[in-house]
């Protein structure tokens, strides 16, 4: 063996030894969400600021957390531990941030409070509804138009089209799985928690507002528990669609978030309920949309029912 060969061998051996002695690379950052608070809390959700303005100042011993730009306030409301936050408007925001609060906090129950468009002709602006179930009306088939005004569905889809269509638009169930039922299944209605509904039904003399400054409603608002609500990513101000939604879904109200939150609650096995007060008639009124006038009153009434619910919740 030449001197040169021995030198190369020694260098190679040194490299191997050095490699064995080198410290291991640092572990990859954990992808597990960090829980910010371990106290079991009721998640109190509203979609946008005017709905939460009446509630947030009433939170006792508030502590603020921020995740992904969303502000979460922990504390107590009517003596109950809560985490209060804005989901953001519409379905994707509602689903995304409902899951976010479940990942980062110890959430025992979910409560949604806000405004909605009225669908049931027997309800009026200012009324507060507490539907027993929520569905997503915009999970649609946009059907093929074979001849003018005549539509057809794919053969393999027909079995799930059990509700009336609005022109070419056929409502469908959504696909969902959960911890309790990991097999993929299709579901339209997501039921509110029976015990929470029973507490809502027990509420008496909440004292709902019927005047906002100098503008007063023609009738005193009422609390209506039961029935259905529907949600979709559209602001509805159309009389024909309002009538369709009532006839097809027997809905009392429609909004842009609750059914998305309900689906996330179902998937995670967390009980939920929603309080929605009518700010407008979704296109059913005689003049312009009423939301700009009555949004504050409706938000206050929804918040009043929520507070009464929390005070009564055991």
């Amino acid at each position: 063996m030449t001197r040169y060969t021995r030198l190369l061998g020694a260098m190679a051996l040194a490299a191997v030894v050095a490699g064995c002695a080198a410290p291991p690379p640092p572990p990859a950052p954990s992808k597990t969400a960090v829980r910010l608070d371990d106290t079991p809390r009721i998640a109190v959700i509203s979609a946008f600021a005017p709905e939460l303005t009446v509630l947030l100042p009433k939170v006792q011993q508030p502590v603020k957390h921020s995740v992904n730009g969303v502000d979460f306030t922990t504390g107590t409301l009517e003596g109950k531990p809560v985490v209060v936050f804005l989901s953001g408007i519409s379905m994707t925001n509602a689903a995304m941030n409902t899951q976010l609060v479940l990942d980062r906090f110890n959430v025992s129950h979910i409560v949604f409070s806000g405004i909605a468009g009225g669908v049931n002709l027997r309800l009026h602006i200012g009324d507060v509804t507490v539907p027993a179930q929520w569905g997503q009306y915009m999970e649609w088939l946009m059907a093929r138009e074979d001849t003018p005004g005549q539509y057809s569905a794919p053969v393999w889809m027909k079995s799930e089209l059990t509700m009336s269509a609005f022109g070419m638009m056929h409502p469908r169930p959504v696909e969902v799985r959960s911890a309790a039922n990991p097999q993929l299944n299709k579901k339209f209605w997501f039921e509110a928690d029976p015990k929470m509904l029973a507490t809502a039904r027990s509420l008496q003399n909440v004292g709902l507002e019927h005047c906002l400054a100098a503008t007063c409603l023609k009738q005193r608002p009422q609390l209506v528990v039961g029935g259905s609500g529907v949600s979709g990513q559209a602001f509805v101000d159309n009389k024909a669609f309002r009538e369709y939604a009532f006839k097809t879904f027997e809905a009392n109200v429609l909004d842009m978030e609750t059914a998305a939150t309900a689906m996330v609650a179902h998937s995670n096995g967390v009980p939920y309920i929603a309080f929605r007060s009518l700010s407008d008639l979704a296109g059913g009124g005689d003049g312009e949309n009423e939301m700009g006038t009555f949004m504050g009153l409706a938000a206050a009434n929804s918040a009043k029912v929520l507070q009464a619910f929390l005070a009564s919740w055991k």
Side-chain angles (χ1 to χ4, degrees), residues 212-225:
L212 184 68
T215 303
C216 292
L217 300 168
K218 295 180 180 179
Q219 56 281 312
R220 291 274 180 178
Q222 59 180 327
L223 172 61
V224 179
V225 182

Side-chain angles (χ1 to χ4, degrees), residues 62-279:
V63 176
K64 185 177 175 180
H65 310 266
S66 184
V67 184
N68 295 353
V70 181
D71 291 333
F72 298 92
T73 300
T74 58
T76 60
L77 186 60
E78 298 297 332
K80 305 301 187 298
V82 295
V83 51
V84 183
F85 69 102
L86 293 174
S87 68
I89 296 172
S90 203
M91 304 287 277
T92 300
N93 279 327
M96 176 175 63
N97 290 320
T98 299
Q99 187 62 57
L100 184 61
V101 77
L102 294 174
D103 289 343
R104 295 305 184 98
F105 296 87
N106 185 5
V107 175
S108 62
H109 298 77
I110 295 172
V111 178
F112 214 115
S113 175
I115 63 176
V119 175
N120 189 333
L121 296 176
R122 294 190 295 273
L123 301 182
H124 304 92
I125 289 174
D127 290 351
V128 178
T129 62
V130 193
Q133 59 183 5
W134 286 84
Q136 300 184 38
Y137 71 85
M138 288 186 73
E139 187 76 13
W140 278 332
L141 159 71
M142 299 292 194
R144 178 189 296 260
E145 188 170 16
D146 298 314
T147 59
Q150 298 295 317
Y151 305 96
S152 65
V155 173
W156 52 267
M157 191 184 293
K158 287 183 178 180
S159 62
E160 65 185 47
L161 303 179
T162 60
M163 299 180 179
S164 300
F166 187 71
M168 69 173 176
M169 297 176 288
H170 293 251
R172 306 171 59 198
V174 297
E175 292 186 341
V176 64
R177 54 169 61 95
S178 66
N181 185 9
Q183 297 300 317
L184 195 66
N185 65 92
K186 296 184 178 181
K187 186 175 175 68
F188 187 86
W189 295 112
F190 292 86
E191 296 77 14
D193 179 65
K195 184 178 177 182
M196 299 175 85
L197 280 171
T199 299
R201 287 192 176 95
S202 73
L203 300 180
Q204 302 289 332
N205 303 318
V206 177
L208 300 177
E209 302 289 343
H210 79 289
C211 291
L212 184 68
T215 303
C216 292
L217 300 168
K218 295 180 180 179
Q219 56 281 312
R220 291 274 180 178
Q222 59 180 327
L223 172 61
V224 179
V225 182
S228 301
V230 290
S231 306
Q233 50 271 44
F235 184 91
V236 177
D237 192 31
N238 182 274
K239 183 179 179 181
F241 191 82
R242 178 185 194 244
E243 293 170 350
Y244 162 79
F246 179 67
K247 180 180 179 181
T248 303
F249 309 112
E250 298 182 356
N252 285 334
V253 291
L254 54 76
D255 68 17
M256 299 176 67
E257 296 87 19
T258 304
T261 288
M263 182 174 174
V264 175
H266 168 81
S267 182
N268 287 272
V270 178
Y272 89 95
I273 196 169
F275 304 100
R276 289 288 191 169
S277 182
L278 276 63
S279 61

